Amino acid sequence: MNLKEELIRKIDAREIRVGVVGLGYVGLPLAVEKARAGFKTIGFDVQEEKVNAVNAGQNYIGDIVDDDLKKLVEEGMLSATTDFGFIREVDFVAICVPTPLDDHQQPDISYVKTSTENIARHLKAGTMVVLESTTYPGTTEELVKPLLEEGSGLTCGEDFYLGFSPERVDPGNKEYKTKNTPKVVGAIGADATEVIAHMYSAVLEGEVYKVSSPAVAEMEKILENTYRNVNIGLVNELAILANRMGISIWEVIEAAKTKPYGFQAFYPGPGLGGHCIPLDPYYLSWKAREYGFHTSMIESSMMVNDRMPEYTVDRASEVLNRAKKPLNGSRVLLLGIAYKNDIDDYRESPAIDVLEILKQRGADVDFFDPYIPKFSDKGKTYEGLATLSAEDVKAADLVIITTAHEAYDYDMILDNAQAIFDARHAIPHPERYDFVETL
């Protein structure tokens, strides 16, 4: 029996032991699904607090059912560790670590590199390794493969299988979770692709779509998020123009949505947030320069989106000016730190940039987010209001809605606010209120 046949047999018999490196928004839900499907799973993370939480059955990710995690831990199907020595005990490893940008907006793949080196030291023959972290096309074959081979002494395609399967996680999505979202798999060699796809099919309900190489899968993930970045950049730019023309961009979008073909609605906002959409185009633009190519359309959309927090503050300042109040010294209440509504994720949130710019321009800023009472950014910790009262709203010269959480009491806010700048179109029929202005 060859390697492919043996691994498929072990998958079908649920004899595969799974390792998931990185227990964040991608890794922990994946680990839970692997364990729920009958595969004993070990989560690896360098942060002891995450490891301790998992081993105690304590959930810290919104998209996971608390009881599911606790039950899997109690049954011995899921555990966590900081010791990469346990890699030798698993047959499938998924790498789900962050891929941020550095201070110069260049890809920072140090987490991928370090994790791969740690895996390589303990990699045994017969293991499947899959990179899930979003990155530039070529990472799996140009970086991960040589590191695994050099660190383990094993040969890719003969002793172990290597592939890329991009994560698809949308925090707060009530319909699509890790379990039922289609999965793309691209691996080095046809056998590796078949086996890794078979492994995901044994766990997930969504379609597992096979492509010809890791690079295709890597580019596919970049396309998904660049598509959104470009279209959001387009609608943000149109929002700026529409405001100058005295036209409601929100009404324009609602009208355009009536077309049953050839149009998908995207919405303006104070900027882009989350781990993927604001970052992925930078990975592609950086890699494109290696080929003497400039992604002009992508870079233009990135510039538009990157300036939206400043534009939001500019518009907020205009609202105050009309009330004969300067931004400098005014009391501003920011509603929302999360990058999207009804979640506690503030990674790359534009609300943080809005808050910082407001402070730089002299505003006295408070914030309230029912999901994020406090947060840390660039070495600073910010503490918000514990609750939102009518007195808090009344005390603000301006309320800025940066995240459209459903939990807000919008009637109370409307009854007590002096002025509102709604950057998310959270308030229905804003034209009915002369003290409400939208982005």
Side-chain angles (χ1 to χ4, degrees):
M1 189 176 292
N2 60 28
L3 178 58
K4 181 182 80 170
E5 293 169 343
E6 173 63 10
L7 285 174
I8 288 176
R9 184 198 66 78
K10 291 176 71 175
I11 292 169
D12 292 340
R14 295 301 189 269
E15 294 176 6
I16 294 288
R17 293 198 71 179
V18 170
V20 177
V21 178
L23 295 175
Y25 285 92
V26 175
L28 187 56
L30 180 65
V32 166
E33 291 304 333
K34 297 284 188 185
R36 287 179 61 189
F39 298 96
K40 283 197 172 182
T41 301
I42 303 174
F44 297 84
D45 205 289
V46 296
Q47 298 182 44
E48 287 191 14
E49 57 269 29
K50 287 185 178 180
V51 167
N52 292 338
V54 170
N55 287 332
Q58 297 171 355
N59 179 36
Y60 49 87
I61 299 293
D63 285 350
I64 294 174
V65 177
D66 295 358
D67 290 344
D68 286 351
L69 177 64
K70 186 176 181 180
K71 181 180 179 183
L72 290 168
V73 171
E74 290 175 348
E75 292 175 346
M77 293 300 296
L78 177 62
S79 61
T81 182
T82 59
D83 184 1
F84 276 81
F86 285 96
I87 288 290
R88 67 175 65 92
E89 296 187 9
V90 304
D91 312 285
F92 176 96
V93 185
I95 304 172
C96 307
V97 296
T99 47
L101 299 173
D102 64 19
D103 292 339
H104 303 287
Q105 300 292 75
Q106 303 286 334
D108 177 5
I109 53 173
S110 59
Y111 297 99
V112 172
K113 184 174 184 292
T114 301
S115 297
T116 302
E117 290 170 340
N118 287 332
I119 292 167
R121 294 188 187 100
H122 308 285
L123 187 68
K124 72 176 189 297
T127 303
M128 297 168 276
V129 181
V130 181
L131 177 62
E132 289 214 4
S133 304
T134 304
T135 183
Y136 59 84
T139 303
T140 304
E141 291 163 281
E142 297 168 9
L143 175 71
V144 176
K145 177 176 176 286
L147 286 175
L148 289 176
E149 290 185 328
E150 291 166 12
S152 68
L154 302 174
T155 300
C156 180
E158 296 179 11
D159 303 313
F160 69 92
Y161 288 148
L162 175 62
F164 181 82
S165 182
E167 55 88 1
R168 282 175 169 169
V169 174
D170 185 18
N173 192 312
K174 293 179 173 59
E175 181 178 1
Y176 288 106
K177 309 289 186 183
T178 299
K179 179 75 172 176
N180 64 340
T181 299
K183 205 84 166 76
V184 173
V185 171
I188 300 176
D191 286 355
T193 302
E194 182 179 345
V195 172
I196 292 171
H198 193 73
M199 180 66 194
Y200 280 109
S201 294
V203 174
L204 307 177
E205 294 174 352
E207 175 191 7
V208 177
Y209 186 88
K210 294 178 281 189
V211 296
S212 60
S213 69
V216 171
E218 289 160 342
M219 180 67 99
E220 179 278 324
K221 175 60 175 178
I222 295 288
L223 171 61
E224 289 180 24
N225 291 324
T226 301
Y227 167 80
R228 295 172 68 187
N229 189 301
V230 168
N231 280 282
I232 294 170
L234 170 64
V235 78
N236 275 333
E237 190 165 60
L238 289 176
I240 296 171
L241 174 60
N243 176 64
R244 293 188 182 183
M245 299 174 72
I247 297 170
S248 167
I249 189 63
W250 303 97
E251 186 177 359
V252 170
I253 294 169
E254 288 304 304
K257 282 168 58 177
T258 63
K259 185 178 181 180
Y261 53 87
F263 180 82
Q264 179 180 350
F266 289 84
Y267 298 93
L272 293 179
H275 180 62
C276 291
I277 301 176
L279 307 184
D280 293 359
Y282 283 98
Y283 273 71
L284 184 59
S285 295
W286 176 83
K287 186 65 174 179
R289 290 195 288 273
E290 181 182 324
Y291 296 86
F293 188 86
H294 288 276
T295 53
S296 55
M297 181 182 294
I298 297 171
E299 290 168 22
S300 294
S301 70
M302 288 153 54
M303 288 189 290
V304 172
N305 292 327
D306 287 347
R307 69 171 286 205
M308 290 307 292
E310 185 173 8
Y311 175 74
T312 298
V313 175
D314 288 343
R315 289 286 306 282
S317 182
E318 291 174 5
V319 174
L320 284 168
N321 283 343
R322 283 194 284 276
K324 302 186 184 306
K325 297 178 181 179
L327 180 59
N328 190 345
S330 286
R331 190 166 185 178
V332 178
L333 174 60
L334 208 64
L335 295 185
I337 292 298
Y339 80 85
K340 62 183 286 191
N341 59 298
D342 307 328
I343 64 171
D344 62 358
D345 190 349
Y346 61 87
R347 292 175 297 170
E348 309 297 329
S349 175
I352 297 174
D353 293 326
V354 171
L355 185 151
E356 282 292 340
I357 297 169
L358 286 168
K359 285 181 173 290
Q360 290 166 11
R361 297 191 185 180
D364 179 11
V365 186
D366 284 323
F367 75 85
F368 174 72
D369 190 309
Y371 297 92
I372 305 171
K374 66 179 180 179
F375 69 95
S376 297
D377 182 64
K378 298 175 183 175
K380 297 180 183 179
T381 298
Y382 302 79
E383 191 145 352
L385 300 174
T387 58
L388 185 66
S389 67
E391 288 70 28
D392 294 322
V393 177
K394 285 178 183 177
D397 296 298
L398 176 66
V399 175
I400 304 178
I401 302 175
T402 43
T403 314
H405 290 310
E406 292 182 6
Y408 292 139
D409 185 345
Y410 289 104
D411 289 335
M412 182 275 286
I413 293 167
L414 286 166
D415 286 343
N416 293 281
Q418 297 183 50
I420 298 173
F421 182 61
D422 184 359
R424 293 291 189 180
H425 204 247
I427 296 173
H429 306 292
E431 69 280 357
R432 297 176 181 175
Y433 310 94
D434 57 8
F435 59 93
V436 176
E437 187 163 335
T438 59
L439 187 70

